[in-house]
Amino acid sequence: ASGRDNAHGFGYVDPLENAASNGSATYYAWDPPQTPGLRFISIDTNSEGGVIEQSSNGNIDDPQFRWLKRELDAASARDQLIIVFGHHPVRSLTSDVPDEATGPCTGVPDSHGHDHNPGCDLDPRNSGPVHLGRDRFSGDPRESLVELFDRYPHVIGYVAGHTHENNIDAFPRSDPEKGVWWGIETSATADWPVQHRLIEVMDNRDGTLSIFGTLLDAA
């Protein structure tokens, strides 16, 4: 729409993060030209450790989590409303598996040019501690995504998939003065009921916002 090639979003990856991750960073942020005053942040919630059962759900490694904090700080300082996008919703960010569990890259390519350990961890940085959607236990010292968003009233929504279900959750902040943010999930186009969701942010002209999440049938 802007007439620019952004490599399907990956052109927005922070060059410093790209270099530090050995080219494996797939999280980024941008100002959508069609919606001034908003900041969109796309996070990578894949649990790259590849442990059966756990890694079908997600987490956020620590280097990315620290980048996300910096993005939230900068967008808040600019007084932008923030919407975050990821694959796994809060309720599915439960994989307590570090990326290093997949093992190191061998550096030896196979006949197709892939590493002999094709799921290897390319990022040389320590992924731990990994961050979950909510605290796994009372007193968990790691900051969860819910705890992080609680501190940033400019965050108004987190849009995710993974569950293949239409679901909306309200996340009231610990300080009632800072309002609420919304977790928005949409079913997959591959599954019944074959739907998409149109998300609209409406200025109510009275100091409040409304978010409309209209479901659309593919038919």
Side-chain angles (χ1 to χ4, degrees):
S2 62
R4 294 193 302 270
D5 177 13
N6 59 42
H8 298 284
F10 295 113
Y12 294 128
V13 172
D14 186 320
L16 294 178
E17 293 295 305
N18 194 48
S21 68
N22 192 28
S24 65
T26 56
Y27 44 88
Y28 52 90
W30 77 104
D31 294 329
Q34 302 89 345
T35 50
L38 279 151
R39 181 71 167 172
F40 288 174
I41 300 176
S42 178
I43 59 175
D44 176 6
T45 62
N46 287 325
S47 174
E48 295 167 340
V51 174
I52 294 174
E53 297 301 330
Q54 281 204 60
S55 290
S56 63
N57 288 319
N59 61 34
I60 305 171
D61 64 29
D62 193 58
Q64 180 184 182
F65 201 79
R66 286 186 271 115
W67 168 86
L68 177 57
K69 285 182 182 179
R70 295 194 296 272
E71 281 293 325
L72 296 178
D73 284 335
S76 298
R78 295 190 296 266
D79 200 24
Q80 292 174 299
L81 296 175
I82 302 166
I83 300 177
V84 181
F85 300 85
H87 181 76
H88 297 83
V90 166
R91 60 186 173 133
S92 298
L93 287 169
T94 58
S95 175
D96 208 355
V97 177
D99 296 349
E100 291 78 11
T102 191
C105 299
T106 66
V108 179
D110 61 19
S111 59
H112 299 286
H114 303 135
D115 194 278
H116 273 279
N117 180 9
C120 63
D121 181 21
L122 293 169
D123 194 333
R125 301 172 297 180
N126 188 351
S127 68
V130 295
H131 300 265
L132 309 180
R134 295 183 184 275
D135 282 350
R136 192 175 185 188
F137 53 86
S138 178
D140 191 335
R142 300 169 297 182
E143 188 170 24
S144 68
L145 194 68
V146 169
E147 289 173 321
L148 178 65
F149 287 173
D150 185 77
R151 299 192 285 111
Y152 291 91
H154 284 77
V155 174
I156 60 174
Y158 174 50
V159 182
H162 184 67
T163 60
H164 294 203
E165 296 176 359
N166 293 314
N167 188 66
I168 294 178
D169 288 316
F171 291 86
R173 290 186 167 88
S174 56
D175 181 354
E177 294 292 321
K178 294 183 178 179
V180 61
W181 61 272
W182 297 89
I184 304 169
E185 301 167 46
T186 303
S187 62
T189 55
D191 294 341
W192 184 261
V194 194
Q195 290 177 324
H196 300 70
R197 189 189 290 279
L198 174 67
I199 299 173
E200 298 171 286
V201 179
M202 178 69 70
D203 182 353
N204 296 323
R205 302 301 177 100
D206 63 358
T208 67
L209 292 172
S210 291
I211 301 177
F212 298 97
T214 307
L215 290 171
L216 303 172
D217 291 320

